[in-house]
Amino acid sequence: TLVKRLVGKRFSWPTGMDMAADGRSVAILTYGEVVVFNREAKETWTDALKRAPARLVFHGLPQAEALCFSRDGRSIYVASETTAAFVRYDRDAR
């Protein structure tokens, strides 16, 4: 795809990770995408990480290396090391 060509072999290199305050979601940032793993009640992280993650749309930031959940877990923020811009992904209310 176009995104993989733009980012090249670094597409899937992890650069950041955060866990939502409720402990039910983990977001992982790579140079090419953000993936989110959700854990069901009483499910282990080992089992949750075996499932395919939700993939968010391409963030479009050069050298994206910072990611965090908002305090309420409804948004995910991604920032670049080389620009003052950031991307916010809004999540469905849980």
Side-chain angles (χ1 to χ4, degrees):
T1 67
L2 176 61
V3 173
K4 286 189 179 181
R5 283 188 303 224
L6 290 173
V7 180
K9 69 179 183 176
R10 299 180 308 162
F11 181 85
S12 61
W13 288 5
T15 60
M17 184 178 111
D18 194 27
M19 180 179 283
D22 66 4
R24 302 270 311 272
S25 299
V26 167
I28 300 171
L29 171 65
T30 73
Y31 285 119
E33 65 182 342
V34 176
V35 296
V36 180
F37 290 91
N38 296 303
R39 182 173 60 95
E40 301 298 325
K42 298 184 181 183
E43 182 180 33
T44 66
W45 273 111
T46 300
D47 289 336
L49 293 170
K50 289 179 183 176
R51 285 196 311 277
R55 287 183 150 66
L56 306 183
V57 297
F58 180 52
H59 47 71
L61 296 172
Q63 206 166 342
E65 296 193 5
L67 169 138
C68 69
F69 281 94
S70 60
R71 183 171 285 178
D72 66 7
R74 291 186 177 180
S75 297
I76 297 171
Y77 295 91
V78 175
S80 168
E81 185 175 290
T82 60
T83 164
F86 70 92
V87 172
R88 183 181 85 199
Y89 297 94
D90 291 321
R91 304 174 74 210
D92 293 332
R94 295 183 269 156

